Amino acid sequence: MHRLTRIALAASFLVAAAPAAAQYAYPPPPPPPPPGAPYVQAPPVYRNVLRVDLGVSFYNSGWYNCYTYYPYYSCSSGSYTSYIPFTVGPQLDINVGGPNNISIGFDVLIGTITASYYNGPVYQSKSSDVTIWEPTVDYVAKFGPPTLDTVGRFRVGGGMYIGPNSGLGGAFRIGGGASFLNTGRLGIGLDLVLEAGGYQGYWIGGLQLMASPEFHF
C-alpha cells in the first residue's frame, strides 16, 4: 500500500513539472522577417589609399676639402649646405594582403640650397634655387584592421634624387604615420620620414613632414 502511494505521488510531480520543462527547454524559433523588410548592408572596407603629399623637408650636408702634403694632412676648406624645400607629389598604397602594402610615390622638392663654406681664410656663402624630383618605393605595414577610423603605419624603402644638370643620388627611407577618417572615402594622413643617402657624391640627410589629403578605395 505504501509503495503504491509513493508511485502515485511521483507520477503526480512529473505531470505537474512537464509543462514548465517544455516551456524553457525548447523555445520556439524566431519568426521570419516580414516581406519587404529593409536589408542592412555592411559598410564598405577600403584597403588601398591614394594621397597627395603636402609638406616641407629639411636636408643638410657637410664636407671638407682635404689635402695631403707628405708627411702632413690638412683640410683647408669646408662647407655646410642646407636645403628646405616645399614637397608635393602623389603616393599610392596598394594592399598585398593583411597589413602589408607597397607604396609608390613621386615627390617634387622645390626650394633654395644655401651653402656656407671656408675657402682658405675667407668665409663665403651662396644660394641657388633648386628643384629635385624624387621617385620612391616603400614597404608599408599598417597597424589595425581597415574598419578602424584611425590606422597607424610604418614604412621603410628607398628614393632616388634627380636634380639639375642630370644630377643623381639616392637615399634610404624609414618613417611612420597614420591615416585619419580611414573608414570613409576621404581622409587625411600625417607622416614623418627620415632619409639618409647621397647626391652628386656628397652625403646628405633629410627629414620630411607631410600632411596629406587621402582617397580610400
Side-chain angles (χ1 to χ4, degrees):
M1 183 65 179
H2 292 290
R3 183 178 180 183
L4 292 176
T5 302
R6 287 196 297 267
I7 293 174
L9 290 174
S12 300
F13 175 79
L14 293 175
V15 170
Q23 180 181 357
Y24 294 105
Y26 304 100
Y39 174 71
V40 179
Q41 184 177 7
V45 176
Y46 306 116
R47 300 182 183 274
N48 304 307
V49 180
L50 175 64
R51 71 174 59 86
V52 178
D53 288 337
L54 296 172
V56 63
S57 301
F58 303 86
Y59 292 90
N60 62 74
S61 177
W63 65 89
Y64 288 92
N65 296 321
C66 298
Y67 306 92
T68 299
Y69 302 96
Y70 186 82
Y72 303 106
Y73 183 77
S74 173
C75 294
S76 60
S77 64
S79 176
Y80 176 82
T81 300
S82 67
Y83 182 44
I84 307 177
F86 170 71
T87 303
V88 59
Q91 192 171 71
L92 175 64
D93 293 353
I94 303 173
N95 182 262
V96 293
N100 306 304
N101 302 265
I102 299 298
S103 181
I104 302 171
F106 194 94
D107 287 333
V108 182
L109 286 64
I110 306 170
T112 300
I113 287 182
T114 302
S116 303
Y117 60 96
Y118 284 99
N119 188 5
V122 181
Y123 182 79
Q124 299 178 338
S125 178
K126 64 179 182 179
S127 299
S128 59
D129 295 332
V130 173
T131 298
I132 294 179
W133 306 79
E134 184 189 13
T136 62
V137 178
D138 299 327
Y139 164 77
V140 176
K142 296 187 177 181
F143 306 107
T147 53
L148 291 180
D149 200 49
T150 300
V151 175
R153 57 176 170 260
F154 166 81
R155 73 175 60 242
V156 59
M160 181 179 181
Y161 301 135
I162 305 173
N165 302 317
S166 301
L168 296 176
F172 170 78
R173 293 161 46 87
I174 186 171
S179 287
F180 301 93
L181 306 176
N182 182 68
T183 55
R185 280 288 189 183
L186 300 178
I188 188 168
L190 298 178
D191 287 277
L192 183 152
V193 181
L194 296 171
E195 295 190 342
Y199 178 73
Q200 293 288 80
Y202 298 106
W203 288 101
I204 62 173
L207 169 66
Q208 295 181 342
L209 298 175
M210 304 290 182
S212 311
E214 296 183 341
F215 176 73
H216 306 139
F217 63 99

